[in-house]
Amino acid sequence: MPAPTPDTIRALTETLADLTEYLRENPDPGEALALVEPLLDEYTGLPVQLGDALRALARAVAGHPDTPRTPALHLLVAELRTAAWEQTDQHTLHYVLDGLRALLVSGCADTAVCPAPEGCRCR
């Protein structure tokens, strides 16, 4: 596999910016949900991937023989690792999508009380 380049990563961030702009135009909620779902996949979504990338960066910098071994380095690597865990913790956002999907299907504002449209007091 060829190594990614800054340009390929920039293209990814531009695509994400395009998605954000599109979502600001108030598309159909079902379509918006379908577009965001891959970003928040429990196993391969952005929170997990970004956390993994930050941990890999910390490992690459700390493990490189030319990296100066200073207290500042250890602090910065620790910050990267902390940020990685914070990002990875966001993987639970896929549960929010599950709740949104249930709400859109049922049309009910409280799916815990009223999971079926025919029993919905919210309509």
Side-chain angles (χ1 to χ4, degrees):
M1 174 167 135
T5 66
D7 287 338
T8 59
I9 303 305
R10 258 186 230 100
L12 292 172
T13 60
E14 288 173 13
T15 299
L16 188 55
D18 291 344
L19 171 63
T20 302
E21 286 300 314
Y22 178 73
L23 293 173
R24 287 181 180 147
E25 295 172 5
N26 297 321
D28 173 75
E31 181 183 350
L33 186 62
L35 290 170
V36 172
E37 279 180 306
L39 295 176
L40 297 178
D41 182 85
E42 180 178 10
Y43 302 106
T44 61
L46 279 178
V48 173
Q49 296 294 329
L50 183 55
D52 287 348
L54 291 173
R55 274 187 286 283
L57 174 61
R59 192 176 320 111
V61 169
H64 196 277
D66 293 339
T67 301
R69 307 288 182 237
T70 64
L73 169 74
H74 295 292
L75 179 63
L76 293 169
V77 167
E79 287 185 37
L80 278 174
R81 290 181 175 143
T82 298
W85 281 112
E86 290 171 356
Q87 290 301 312
T88 303
D89 284 346
Q90 297 301 313
H91 82 279
T92 58
L93 285 170
H94 75 277
Y95 292 122
V96 173
L97 296 184
D98 292 344
L100 284 172
R101 189 179 312 100
L103 178 107
L104 291 173
V105 169
S106 73
C108 180
D110 189 354
T111 57
V113 173
C114 170
E118 61 272 6
C120 186
R121 296 175 298 188
C122 303
R123 291 182 177 226

